[in-house]
Amino acid sequence: MKGKRVIRRRMKAFVLTVFFFLLSVWNVILAEAEETSDEITASELYARSAVLMDADSGRILFAKNGEEKLAMASTTKIMTCILALENGSMSDQVSVSSNAASQPAVRLGMREGQKFFLEDLLYSLMLESHNDSAVAVAEHIGGSVEGFASMMNQKAMELECTDTYFITPNGLDAEDETGFHHTTAENLARIMRYCIMESGKREDFLKITQTQEHDFSDCEGNGSYQCHNHNLFLQMMEGALSGKTGFTADAGYCYVGALQRDERTFIVALLACGWPNNKGYKWSDTRKLMEYGLDNYEYRQIDISKDTGSVLVENGAAGGFPGTEAAELKVEVNAEPFRVLLRRDEDVSVFCDLPEKIQAPVEKGQKIGTMTCSLDGIELKTYPLTAAKSMEERSFQLCLCYIRDAFFNVSDII
């Protein structure tokens, strides 16, 4: 009996040991899962190239092959639309050429010689992605497809989208002696940022791209045309702001879209995000990237009014007897705290660039150096560092005045 009790105790101790060991392992697994649940990796995305951008600053928050040059299909039309808004009038009458009327599907079905109001063609362009409408708009604004493509490339250069090259206004696959019709996910996101944040016609752009249905006729009142918005993202997530789909044989499925929630605005750009029958991949990737941004990034206030240091002033007089040593002078920064979108594990670096010594005299408010706020090596803000007070130059006369004031009290004599 005694031996059995010993065996039972040992078995009980063994079982408890195994139990607590497994419990500790499980806790470690859970802890690791919590640590990595907010992460996203390139392998989780279907798109060959993908970017998540903070629309406010233009900072890239996540990228998968973000600088790879790829065909972009009808996402091209966001540039076509914004240029038409900036260089035309909604009431313009657009004449249809034989070139426009002969464009392949997807098409409005316009006929040579018809006239349409520019406003109606922009709805056709952005809601249904009609290729004939794109060419008619391009010829009206640029004089020709080639002239409009030149305008598109000029705007791309202004936006510093140096890895983008436009040939067509509708995004159909094309190639010429200079290269092929292409962009990168980073450049595409940058163009969308311009359309919704920077352009003077951003409100018109948003109104068009957010419209669900638009019906119209030509300028003579002939025909009945209906447009339905194919951007499913607008109903997919709260705060969906804008977007444009695209597909060609070379490009695959593409998408660029924006979302705004709690003062944060994110842009997702996807290139080569599957081919038939994988039409839904772009929506899956868009949701995953948007949720990653919403779950992990929040605005934080950066206070830069802390001690900014001091500088030595050669031949400066700073209270007391003007000695021979360099005087110390405080510097300050005159700037309000600013907000920046950050991950929980990120922080802004603040660097003060000051000379070791300067020469007297120094005036209060005189620029002495600079303060730079950066994140991951990217400059966010730069402020001047200025003298907190004035400092005279040490001189023989100044020394005599100090002696006079120190040893002779004028009020006592009087």
Side-chain angles (χ1 to χ4, degrees):
M1 290 294 293
K2 184 177 179 181
K4 290 181 178 180
R5 284 197 297 272
V6 171
I7 292 173
R8 282 198 296 269
R9 283 198 300 271
R10 289 178 177 175
M11 285 295 294
K12 185 177 181 181
F14 174 75
V15 170
L16 287 172
T17 300
V18 171
F19 172 77
F20 285 114
F21 171 75
L22 292 175
L23 183 63
S24 64
V25 170
W26 179 248
N27 286 334
V28 170
I29 293 173
L30 287 177
E32 290 180 350
E34 288 179 0
E35 289 176 0
T36 59
S37 62
D38 291 336
E39 297 296 326
I40 189 170
T41 62
S43 61
E44 296 178 56
L45 300 174
Y46 294 109
R48 178 172 163 182
S49 177
V51 151
L52 173 68
M53 173 186 280
D54 167 28
D56 184 47
S57 66
R59 178 185 168 214
I60 302 298
L61 307 178
F62 174 88
K64 173 186 177 181
N65 303 323
E67 298 180 345
E68 185 176 359
K69 298 176 182 179
L70 295 168
M72 69 283 214
S74 287
T75 58
T76 296
K77 291 173 176 134
I78 66 172
M79 178 66 93
T80 303
C81 182
I82 201 66
L83 282 180
L85 288 170
E86 291 179 346
N87 294 278
S89 171
M90 292 287 210
S91 60
D92 285 355
Q93 293 191 16
V94 179
S95 297
V96 178
S97 69
S98 59
N99 181 35
S102 63
Q103 292 298 304
V106 177
R107 55 201 304 272
L108 177 65
M110 54 177 57
R111 301 182 307 277
E112 183 181 358
Q114 272 187 296
K115 290 185 178 181
F116 291 89
F117 291 111
L118 178 61
E119 179 180 13
D120 293 325
L121 291 187
L122 293 182
Y123 281 100
S124 166
L125 177 80
M126 299 305 289
L127 273 57
E128 290 284 356
S129 203
H130 290 144
N131 292 320
D132 49 356
S133 296
V135 170
V137 168
E139 291 176 337
H140 176 74
I141 299 296
S144 65
V145 167
E146 294 75 18
F148 189 75
S150 178
M151 293 173 65
M152 298 171 84
N153 288 316
Q154 178 61 39
K155 177 61 75 171
M157 293 301 294
E158 291 173 10
L159 300 179
E160 299 183 356
C161 294
T162 55
D163 292 321
T164 294
Y165 181 57
F166 292 107
I167 300 175
T168 70
N170 47 28
L172 293 177
D173 297 326
E175 190 171 355
D176 61 18
E177 63 279 0
T178 303
F180 72 104
H181 187 88
H182 69 268
T183 190
T184 67
E186 289 190 7
N187 280 190
L188 184 57
R190 176 71 186 88
I191 295 169
M192 176 58 93
R193 180 180 180 234
Y194 175 77
C195 292
I196 66 170
M197 302 289 287
E198 299 173 337
S199 171
K201 294 294 184 177
R202 59 188 177 275
E203 294 300 328
D204 291 329
F205 180 89
L206 288 171
K207 179 185 175 183
I208 291 171
T209 57
Q210 290 172 357
T211 296
Q212 286 301 313
E213 306 282 346
H214 183 73
D215 300 337
F216 62 97
S217 301
D218 66 13
C219 292
E220 303 298 324
N222 298 320
S224 179
Y225 303 91
Q226 295 180 330
C227 296
H228 173 73
N229 199 325
H230 292 270
N231 181 14
L232 299 182
F233 178 63
L234 292 176
Q235 288 79 45
M236 198 169 74
M237 292 187 72
E238 178 191 350
L241 196 62
S242 183
K244 184 69 189 74
T245 58
F247 174 80
T248 65
D250 287 351
Y253 290 110
C254 303
Y255 184 68
V256 58
L259 177 145
Q260 189 174 67
R261 195 186 297 179
D262 301 329
E263 297 184 322
R264 298 167 296 173
T265 305
F266 299 103
I267 294 172
V268 165
L270 307 170
L271 298 175
C273 193
W275 273 258
N277 296 308
N278 299 311
K279 196 173 184 178
Y281 282 179
K282 61 181 178 292
W283 305 128
S284 173
D285 280 5
T286 298
R287 180 186 290 276
K288 187 167 291 187
L289 286 167
M290 290 298 190
E291 288 180 345
Y292 169 74
L294 291 169
D295 292 343
N296 290 277
Y297 285 87
E298 59 186 21
Y299 276 105
R300 198 182 309 162
Q301 187 136 307
I302 308 301
D303 187 3
I304 57 172
S305 60
K306 59 183 180 180
D307 182 17
T308 51
S310 58
V311 65
L312 293 176
V313 182
E314 289 275 6
N315 207 29
F321 185 78
T324 58
E325 297 295 323
E328 187 175 6
L329 177 66
K330 285 281 187 182
V331 296
E332 61 185 5
V333 59
N334 183 20
E336 296 294 326
F338 67 94
R339 298 193 317 155
V340 62
L341 198 66
L342 296 171
R343 272 182 62 99
R344 288 187 291 270
D345 58 352
E346 288 181 322
D347 211 346
V348 172
S349 299
V350 179
F351 173 72
C352 295
D353 185 16
L354 287 168
E356 186 176 342
K357 291 181 180 180
I358 60 174
Q359 292 291 324
V362 180
E363 295 292 330
K364 177 179 171 59
Q366 178 181 325
K367 182 179 177 181
I368 306 298
T370 58
M371 171 187 281
T372 302
C373 304
S374 61
L375 182 63
D376 295 335
I378 300 173
E379 185 178 303
L380 301 177
K381 302 276 186 179
T382 300
Y383 302 102
L385 291 172
T386 59
K389 63 179 182 179
S390 298
M391 184 175 290
E392 295 181 84
E393 183 179 8
R394 184 174 60 243
S395 63
F396 179 72
Q397 182 180 359
L398 188 66
C399 294
L400 288 178
C401 289
Y402 172 79
I403 295 172
R404 180 201 65 195
D405 294 342
F407 293 98
F408 299 96
N409 192 318
V410 179
S411 60
D412 288 343
I413 298 174
I414 294 174

